[in-house]
Amino acid sequence: MGNKNNDGCYSTPASRKIPANGGVTGSNGAASTSSSSGVDPLLEHSFKHLLTEELGCARPDSAGSCSPPRSLHETFTSDRNDEYWPVEQREQVRTPRLMHTWHCDQSILSLTSTKKWIIAGSGNGDILVFNKETFETEFVLKGHAGSVYSLALTEDERFLFSGSADSLVKVWDLETMEDVWTIYSVYDIGDVFTIAWAPSHEYLFLGAQNASIQWIRLYEKGSYNTTKDPSGLPSIRYDRFFDSKGPGGRITPQQSATATPKKYSGTSALLEIPPKSVIPFAHFSYVYSLLVIKRTITHGSTSIEEEFLVSGGGDGTAKIWNFNTDGTIEQLYTLDTESSVFSMCCQDSFLYCGLSAGQVCIIDLDTRQVIRNDKLGDDDVMTMSLYRECLFRGGNRYVRKWDSKRYHRGEWLAHDGLVLATVLAVSNGRTLLVTGGNDSVVSMWDITATLEHSVSSKDSVLLQSSFNSTNAIMFFNQMTNGQYGIKTKKINEGTDEEVTVAPLTLDHMMETLRSFVSYKTVSGHDDKYMNDCRRCATFLKSVFKHFGADSQLLPLEQGGNPIVYARFSGTGNVDASKRASRILFYGHYDVISAEKNGQWTTDPFEMTNMDGYMYGRGVSDNKGPILAAIFAVAELVQRSELSNDIVFLIEGEEECGSAGFQEAVNRHKALIGDIDWVLLSNSYWLDDETPCLNYGLRGIIKASIEIKGDLPDLHSGVHGGVYREPTFDLVNLLAKLATDQGEIVLPEFHNSVRPVGNQERALYEAIVNRPKRATTTTMTPAGQGSSSEDKDADIETLMGRWRYPSLTIHKITVSGPGNSTLIPQSATASLSLRIVPDQDLEVIKASLTSFLHAQFAKFKSDNHLTVSIYHEAEPWVGDPGNRAFELLRTIIAEEWGTEPLFIREGGSIPAVRFLEKAFCAPAAQLPCGQASDGAHLDNERLRVLNFGKAKEIFLKTFRDLV
Ligand code: BES
Ligand code: MN
């Protein structure tokens, strides 16, 4: 057997996306559309101008001048960084915590939120749907050919409306994520800047660049033109660039020949806005913003809700429109705002108009008077969100908060460009402000703390107050429908009393992981991180205790980081034919070192959430998986569904060979008890798509080889040419370990390797024959679609990584100051051998030592050789057909909707085989993260979705493995 290619254990596939500066790309969609509106092009505050000139940051040519979003995270993810807000009066306001960021391809121009999703409209016409729980980009709705300026929702959150620079409004069914209707106007309206949904009347309004307001009654679509005949579509009847008239007002033949192909490829039904539903010059300028407001009038026990439309224009007015019974609207009155109204919101009969140059004008809708003009910053207020009396306005790079009641104001650096969209959302009992900018980033801020003083129990009453905008009502609906507590029995107090405890949400898991990661638990560095390691062990103990476990620290006899022991006692109640089991979960809280500089785009010890991932040292190896297991048991305890005993052994010396672990476990055998199964989760999927189960690890022998002379370090010019140099002896000796072709020639190295059986080969075949998905990482041997020779080669590669031994020379160091004029006195190589069944650890160790000494003897050198073995671990191969693996397989298939691959790994975890032998209990491993997690590398990460699923898989396993 040749020297196997041992790559890939820790490598990051080339395709892995590191989002450090991924945000600033492309041009804004608005920049590529020109238009034919009938509006005076010299109008003072042009939305167009803003979106083409000021959005310059989003263009490729100026992208270099923008620093990547990373710098923002560095400064503002920390909740220790409290001093930021420049506070006008009294209290300090905390900087909101940045909960998550998503890096998109283009500017974010619009946002909305449902109970489940954050939805963002982008500059390239895509609508991005992010899951609020897992942070995955769950859907990308494609259909618009221009920037999505505006989004709206029906109150039941079933339909999403999008208005775009392509002159269209689309209606998306959020149950199927399909584009069901495409609404267009027979007029050339230019860009649709704003849309609004009036729920009681079922009208969808649009405000456009040609100064018109248009609408359509949606649920009566039968009465409209809903054919798929595309001839009326604006893109087909007229192309704004190619079809515009040349000098003399003629369309030249060349122009029509090069015109964009005129076809409609959409699947949605087309809906034409009837001519009677158009107010051509609603404003003397662009219609920038529309808002539907409600007024509730209560007469005794009956209350009537009235809807009005408010429009804000570039002409410096806001207008209130009434709905007529004949399906038309009529202007009630005009409010003067003196400058362009870019954004609006409404609460308690106050209409807030976001104007140019940082101004917000507040109008009392009852008296129609401007009651206040507030200026904060100098940037045009393109977006606002209002939570009770706190107004958040988007500006250039900043979000500015104004508490209109307490006169608190503050700002925080939120984007690397203009903040163009904001929306309030609720998740896990937190109030969130989601912001989007022309830096192509969507950020989610937890503003709960900044609102504390303004939240009152009056929230439900608020719905009845005189005026509210429908989006505010939707936000409050989200707030009140959320369930923020579950009933459970009190833990460990022997009472049956029902108490309400916080549910163990993914959010709670992430918060705990954030704390866990903040401890710098780098092992093997003696004193430097000892304190962090101890504090982390204590932290873990308190997490265990909090969830009802017995927990204590087990010290190591020779010093080193203690083991955290914990035991959750099950009820023992299982079917008569079965016996409750005692499961040992093994993990390690120590991590590989990580320096903030290097390639890390975030602080490795301050967990940062981006694009559906958590970044930080140890999130995947092994802190995240450990917490998934703890939360799984905690949830079973809370639900009174834990019948098995679960013992946790979480050590702190794994990354440097688990020295002292065996001794400590042997010493505490009685405490740990009779174990039936060993479970762990400290490995990764084979790619980023397919869930896996792991049934094997290689063992390891770590050795250092030193050759030392009797003389001190010498100057090579003065002494060179006289002595046998230790470094020469060392490289010559190392060279004896392999042929010139790299084949390892160590005696006994290959002959005892277990031959490949038929069943084993079948497992490898299943791996290389798996269906290959589009985004599979490049490191992975090819799946379906490659030739049988390719597949044989892939099997060889996998076997080389997992079931054949390997030998690596990690580094060679020399004594002395290391400059290139010296003959070092000594040279040391560190190497490791990964070993496999049925190699005998002792035989291989002896072979290595005696082979090196025998070879060295032949050198007849005056120098001295020392071979020392400082770590060793036996390989582990589990039984993929046993009950634990069978159960895990079923649960994974249930959770992920696809069968797992059974894989082995080339890496080593010294404790596994030892625990199997010590307790006569078979081990099984659930790989938690993906191949691209980058354990031991910079930017280690774990996908939020995998974290949540691992908890679910462990929960069912701990519950059902009897
Ligand atoms: N999680 C790894 C083990 C691992 C590595 C699993 C690669 C799957 C693929 C573990 O934390 C680790 O790093 N082990 C060390 C052990 C050594 C220091 C004794 C290793 O494999 O190098
Ligand atoms: Mn590791």
Side-chain angles (χ1 to χ4, degrees):
M1 191 74 243
N3 179 31
K4 290 289 163 181
N5 168 11
N6 188 28
D7 65 359
C9 289
Y10 300 124
S11 309
T12 306
S15 62
R16 181 172 164 206
K17 195 177 149 206
I18 295 178
N21 45 18
V24 189
T25 53
S27 65
N28 185 274
S32 59
T33 57
S34 61
S35 96
S36 65
S37 67
V39 176
D40 179 357
L42 295 175
L43 277 169
E44 205 187 1
H45 290 290
S46 149
F47 199 54
K48 268 292 186 199
H49 160 83
L50 270 167
L51 293 169
T52 53
E53 300 304 317
E54 294 196 48
L55 301 199
C57 191
R59 291 192 208 134
D61 56 347
S62 58
S65 64
C66 300
S67 54
R70 135 190 195 184
S71 57
L72 300 178
H73 300 160
E74 279 170 3
T75 322
F76 294 99
T77 46
S78 166
D79 49 7
R80 292 166 215 163
N81 182 11
D82 288 340
E83 272 80 56
Y84 191 72
W85 291 81
V87 172
E88 194 180 62
Q89 294 193 26
R90 291 188 299 243
E91 293 168 46
Q92 288 270 311
V93 186
R94 282 166 64 93
T95 300
R97 206 142 92 266
L98 183 52
M99 299 296 293
H100 208 95
T101 52
W102 289 274
H103 298 85
C104 312
D105 294 335
Q106 286 271 350
S107 298
I108 300 302
L109 302 153
S110 49
L111 284 165
T112 189
S113 115
T114 71
K115 283 187 201 74
K116 201 166 166 196
W117 294 302
I118 302 292
I119 305 176
S122 103
N124 61 2
D126 288 353
I127 299 169
L128 310 161
V129 182
F130 305 114
N131 186 312
K132 271 158 82 175
E133 182 79 359
T134 63
F135 308 102
E136 290 283 294
T137 306
E138 223 158 56
F139 305 97
V140 179
L141 310 182
K142 289 184 178 285
H144 280 299
S147 301
V148 179
Y149 286 130
S150 185
L151 292 170
L153 287 164
T154 53
E155 278 189 317
D156 59 3
E157 300 184 347
R158 168 78 193 267
F159 292 103
L160 171 75
F161 308 108
S162 56
S164 157
D166 62 7
S167 305
L168 301 177
V169 174
K170 281 180 177 282
V171 185
W172 308 84
D173 182 343
L174 291 184
E175 263 166 30
T176 59
M177 291 295 160
E178 267 164 23
D179 152 13
V180 282
W181 294 313
T182 296
I183 299 163
Y184 66 95
S185 168
V186 288
Y187 301 101
D188 294 318
I189 58 173
D191 297 2
V192 176
F193 285 142
T194 175
I195 53 176
W197 170 245
S200 315
H201 290 81
E202 295 172 346
Y203 286 161
L204 182 70
F205 289 96
L206 68 84
Q209 197 180 11
N210 74 340
S212 71
I213 294 178
Q214 316 203 0
W215 63 99
I216 190 158
R217 182 135 194 230
L218 265 185
Y219 293 164
E220 264 187 6
K221 62 173 180 143
S223 58
Y224 297 105
N225 166 19
T226 62
T227 65
K228 295 226 172 184
D229 170 13
S231 57
L233 274 179
S235 60
I236 286 167
R237 60 174 194 258
Y238 182 83
D239 186 284
R240 284 191 273 164
F241 180 72
F242 291 109
D243 300 348
S244 62
K245 295 185 176 91
R250 283 181 31 205
I251 295 180
T252 63
Q254 290 95 321
Q255 270 180 315
S256 35
T258 56
T260 36
K262 298 190 172 187
K263 60 171 192 264
Y264 172 67
S265 55
T267 50
S268 62
L270 302 173
L271 239 70
E272 189 174 285
I273 296 179
K276 65 165 187 170
S277 303
V278 175
I279 297 195
F281 283 93
H283 285 266
F284 294 116
S285 174
Y286 303 161
V287 179
Y288 287 134
S289 74
L290 290 176
L291 185 68
V292 170
I293 59 172
K294 285 186 183 181
R295 175 178 208 161
T296 309
I297 305 157
T298 312
H299 292 290
S301 57
T302 53
S303 54
I304 314 159
E305 214 168 49
E306 269 187 274
E307 270 177 350
F308 300 92
L309 177 74
V310 190
S311 61
D315 56 357
T317 65
K319 297 184 178 189
I320 314 288
W321 307 80
N322 191 24
F323 296 68
N324 295 329
T325 44
D326 64 353
T328 60
I329 62 168
E330 117 192 275
Q331 187 179 322
L332 284 180
Y333 50 89
T334 300
L335 305 161
D336 248 320
T337 57
E338 284 173 7
S339 80
S340 301
V341 182
F342 294 122
S343 52
M344 294 189 297
C345 42
C346 174
Q347 197 175 75
D348 292 347
S349 84
F350 297 144
L351 178 71
Y352 293 67
C353 298
L355 312 175
S356 56
Q359 300 223 66
V360 171
C361 156
I362 307 169
I363 301 168
D364 183 340
L365 291 175
D366 287 331
T367 63
R368 300 177 201 178
Q369 284 170 323
V370 173
I371 54 165
R372 193 169 170 155
N373 260 311
D374 182 75
K375 185 170 157 67
L376 192 53
D378 291 317
D379 318 311
D380 296 338
V381 184
M382 305 305 289
T383 175
M384 293 188 295
S385 285
L386 184 61
Y387 181 88
R388 298 188 57 76
E389 54 273 355
C390 283
L391 183 74
F392 297 88
R393 59 184 96 169
N396 186 4
R397 297 167 63 89
Y398 287 91
V399 170
R400 299 198 165 88
K401 182 202 158 195
W402 176 46
D403 181 334
S404 60
K405 213 165 179 175
R406 299 181 160 228
Y407 310 107
H408 289 166
R409 46 187 70 221
E411 58 191 2
W412 76 90
L413 189 53
H415 285 266
D416 196 11
L418 296 177
V419 181
L420 296 170
T422 59
V423 71
L424 289 166
V426 182
S427 183
N428 295 300
R430 304 170 194 276
T431 307
L432 307 170
L433 180 73
V434 186
T435 58
N438 70 342
D439 57 354
S440 311
V441 172
V442 174
S443 297
M444 197 166 109
W445 310 89
D446 180 358
I447 55 168
T448 321
T450 78
L451 295 170
E452 251 146 36
H453 57 271
S454 42
V455 178
S456 80
S457 56
K458 283 198 324 200
D459 282 350
S460 52
V461 178
L462 201 74
L463 296 177
Q464 261 119 70
S465 66
S466 52
F467 284 102
N468 275 293
S469 50
T470 53
N471 38 1
I473 291 171
M474 292 190 56
F475 170 67
F476 285 110
N477 285 347
Q478 278 184 39
M479 283 205 83
T480 44
N481 289 0
Q483 290 207 328
Y484 307 128
I486 55 166
K487 289 257 185 253
T488 182
K489 299 253 184 314
K490 241 184 184 168
I491 308 160
N492 269 3
E493 282 182 25
T495 70
D496 266 354
E497 188 193 337
E498 290 249 303
V499 290
T500 301
V501 298
L504 300 172
T505 59
L506 192 53
D507 185 67
H508 189 180
M509 284 171 64
M510 283 191 290
E511 279 305 288
T512 316
L513 183 55
R514 208 181 130 76
S515 306
F516 198 2
V517 167
S518 73
Y519 296 96
K520 294 184 177 146
T521 53
V522 181
S523 56
H525 282 71
D526 303 321
D527 292 345
K528 193 169 174 201
Y529 299 107
M530 199 173 84
N531 259 341
D532 262 85
C533 291
R534 302 254 152 186
R535 285 176 46 237
C536 183
T538 310
F539 159 83
L540 258 188
K541 188 177 86 174
S542 67
V543 171
F544 281 122
K545 291 201 154 184
H546 174 78
F547 291 132
D550 275 343
S551 182
Q552 66 187 79
L553 304 185
L554 312 180
L556 306 185
E557 204 167 57
Q558 308 296 324
N561 303 317
I563 299 168
V564 184
Y565 158 90
R567 193 195 76 237
F568 289 92
S569 303
T571 57
N573 299 334
V574 285
D575 292 355
S577 60
K578 293 178 178 147
R579 181 182 64 82
S581 38
R582 192 169 172 93
I583 301 168
L584 169 62
F585 184 91
Y586 165 83
H588 64 91
Y589 64 82
D590 62 320
V591 298
I592 286 287
S593 66
E595 296 308 324
K596 194 178 169 183
N597 38 38
Q599 295 293 306
W600 281 91
T601 58
T602 60
D603 181 338
F605 296 103
E606 193 174 291
M607 194 175 95
T608 307
N609 287 16
M610 291 186 286
D611 304 316
Y613 285 84
M614 303 169 290
Y615 288 81
R617 172 55 86 224
V619 288
S620 176
D621 182 9
N622 182 224
K623 290 175 171 174
I626 292 171
L627 281 189
I630 297 176
F631 273 71
V633 188
E635 199 168 322
L636 286 171
V637 172
Q638 280 200 358
R639 297 199 211 152
S640 306
E641 286 177 24
L642 183 69
S643 47
N644 290 326
D645 285 347
I646 317 287
V647 173
F648 282 81
L649 285 180
I650 312 296
E651 69 155 315
E653 294 284 344
E654 194 271 353
E655 297 294 5
C656 47
S658 298
F661 181 76
Q662 304 196 3
E663 186 280 328
V665 169
N666 285 331
R667 200 158 22 97
H668 291 96
K669 269 255 173 81
L671 176 72
I672 298 165
D674 286 336
I675 298 298
D676 300 296
W677 300 99
V678 176
L679 293 184
L680 69 155
S681 181
N682 191 18
S683 68
Y684 326 97
W685 291 357
L686 183 59
D687 57 30
D688 277 4
E689 311 295 328
T690 327
C692 295
L693 271 169
N694 173 266
Y695 67 96
L697 292 162
R698 291 195 289 193
I700 194 165
I701 295 171
K702 285 207 156 203
S704 79
I705 303 170
E706 186 200 50
I707 298 201
K708 192 172 181 180
D710 294 321
L711 297 167
D713 297 329
L714 297 169
H715 190 291
S716 65
V718 179
H719 299 279
V722 183
Y723 306 107
R724 277 295 280 267
E725 298 190 7
T727 315
F728 254 110
D729 280 353
L730 181 69
V731 294
N732 280 338
L733 184 60
L734 292 175
K736 302 289 175 205
L737 288 165
T739 65
D740 289 351
Q741 284 67 45
E743 199 170 321
I744 305 299
V745 294
L746 187 67
E748 308 295 329
F749 194 62
H750 300 296
N751 55 9
S752 51
V753 172
R754 189 183 293 176
V756 180
N758 285 340
Q759 278 185 345
E760 185 186 352
R761 194 167 176 94
L763 290 171
Y764 284 85
E765 271 159 9
I767 295 169
V768 297
N769 287 323
R770 74 190 184 278
K772 199 181 177 191
R773 299 205 210 160
T775 52
T776 305
T777 52
T778 50
M779 281 295 299
T780 309
Q784 227 169 45
S786 37
S787 71
S788 71
E789 293 88 68
D790 286 347
K791 284 180 181 169
D792 285 346
D794 290 341
I795 291 179
E796 283 298 295
T797 306
L798 289 177
M799 288 188 171
R801 284 165 53 181
W802 298 345
R803 59 113 49 231
Y804 288 111
S806 66
L807 188 156
T808 301
I809 301 170
H810 299 289
K811 60 182 171 192
I812 296 176
T813 51
V814 292
S815 60
N819 67 55
S820 298
T821 59
L822 295 183
I823 304 169
Q825 182 192 6
S826 72
T828 308
S830 82
L831 51 138
S832 70
L833 288 79
R834 300 279 173 172
I835 61 166
V836 297
D838 297 312
Q839 285 180 316
D840 185 292
L841 190 74
E842 298 304 326
V843 170
I844 304 293
K845 264 163 48 181
S847 164
L848 178 72
T849 315
S850 59
F851 176 77
L852 290 171
H853 279 290
Q855 293 298 318
F856 186 64
K858 291 190 201 161
F859 292 2
K860 303 212 180 317
S861 169
D862 305 330
N863 298 323
H864 315 286
L865 166 69
T866 315
V867 180
S868 34
I869 287 166
Y870 58 95
H871 287 324
E872 55 186 67
E874 282 195 63
W876 163 66
V877 180
D879 170 10
N882 73 19
R883 237 167 351 107
F885 275 110
E886 194 40 46
L887 178 66
L888 278 160
R889 190 188 65 73
T890 320
I891 297 170
I892 291 173
E894 227 170 77
E895 283 298 318
W896 284 103
T898 173
E899 288 286 322
L901 298 171
F902 280 81
I903 64 170
R904 282 168 67 168
E905 276 292 357
S908 316
I909 303 171
V912 182
R913 183 60 191 141
F914 159 72
L915 289 171
E916 269 198 340
K917 290 201 295 192
F919 294 98
C920 280
Q925 169 147 251
L926 173 79
C928 174
Q930 300 164 295
S932 65
D933 278 6
H936 292 219
L937 298 173
D938 293 333
N939 300 311
E940 178 178 349
R941 65 180 189 177
L942 176 63
R943 184 159 65 151
V944 178
L945 188 64
N946 285 47
F947 188 39
K949 292 267 193 218
K951 189 227 41 194
E952 223 47 59
I953 293 164
F954 279 129
L955 186 146
K956 293 182 178 176
T957 309
F958 290 142
R959 189 189 59 195
D960 299 339
L961 185 57
V962 284

